[in-house]
Amino acid sequence: GAVVSQHPSWVICKSGTSVKIECRSLDFQATTMFWYRQFPKQSLMLMATSNEGSKATYEQGVEKDKFLINHASLTLSTLTVTSAHPEDSSFYICSALRASGGQETQYFGPGTRLLVL
Amino acid sequence: GIQVEQSPPDLILQEGANSTLRCNFSDSVNNLQWFHQNPWGQLINLFYIPSGTKQNGRLSATTVATERYSLLYISSSQTTDSGVYFCAVASGTYKYIFGTGTRLKVLA
């Protein structure tokens, strides 16, 4: 199957610090990855599309200078939350797009819980 | 943009019962997936089903694209089926819009 990992799974940080989250596709290459945010008891909201070798595209209302995305290789995308504040506390989930059997399917990582104090 | 509504929002079942979850979307789509989010937050792919019917064990799904809805059937439910079920749709791209979710609890 298609496996996507995220690291770290949990992070607690002080307000004003930056936090980097890694998303890796372990057994397939992904030119496209996605970053989502999920608040408690809510649905997933797409933040940005990460494209290998080019700039990420951000959804409306998502600050690109605050949420830095780098897709440096076909198996790794990183999301850096800069100058984190308590309102950035959330569950961040990445997905990787895999082409197989004529269809392209998103496979999700296990998520990263961020708590900003 | 496309609106995705799921029903019911909450569902409690006795173990062994069957259920049907519904996903309505407001515009035509060419990608649709069903996911199960377990209590630890992991999203698990259930079906890629932009149209037609698929079955996998106790689960099956049907999408009627022309009428803009999809159904997920769970038969002989088990406690491990508990969690949140999401459908997600996309039109022309792979940028998914997630539905509102159905929170399922299966009691032993």
Side-chain angles (χ1 to χ4, degrees), chain A residues 34 36 38 41-44 46 49 59 91 93 97 103-111 113, chain B residues 31 33 35 37 39-45 48 54 86 94-101 103:
Chain A
F34 301 92
Y36 296 83
Q38 185 180 31
K41 298 193 184 303
Q42 294 188 21
S43 188
L44 279 74
L46 179 64
T49 303
E59 295 303 299
F91 189 46
I93 310 173
L97 196 61
Q103 67 186 42
E104 292 193 310
T105 308
Q106 287 194 37
Y107 290 89
F108 284 79
R113 296 191 186 278
Chain B
N31 286 296
Q33 285 185 246
F35 298 93
Q37 187 172 38
W40 296 273
Q42 173 75 63
L43 276 158
I44 299 162
N45 287 33
Y48 173 83
K54 289 186 179 179
F86 289 105
Y94 296 101
K95 290 168 53 173
Y96 275 125
I97 297 169
F98 275 72
T100 49
R103 193 171 300 273

Side-chain angles (χ1 to χ4, degrees), chain B residues 5-78:
Chain B
E5 293 288 332
Q6 291 183 240
S7 61
D10 296 280
L11 184 60
I12 300 175
L13 297 175
Q14 202 65 42
E15 198 169 30
N18 303 327
S19 63
T20 300
L21 282 57
R22 187 177 180 102
C23 171
N24 291 331
F25 39 95
S26 61
D27 206 343
S28 60
V29 301
N30 54 4
N31 286 296
L32 188 150
Q33 285 185 246
W34 280 97
F35 298 93
H36 173 217
Q37 187 172 38
N38 66 22
W40 296 273
Q42 173 75 63
L43 276 158
I44 299 162
N45 287 33
L46 298 178
F47 295 102
Y48 173 83
I49 187 165
S51 64
T53 297
K54 289 186 179 179
Q55 179 158 6
N56 184 5
R58 296 182 295 106
L59 302 181
S60 63
T62 295
T63 297
V64 184
T66 54
E67 297 187 22
R68 300 179 185 170
Y69 72 88
S70 184
L71 302 174
L72 177 69
Y73 306 97
I74 304 174
S75 64
S76 302
S77 58
Q78 300 175 359

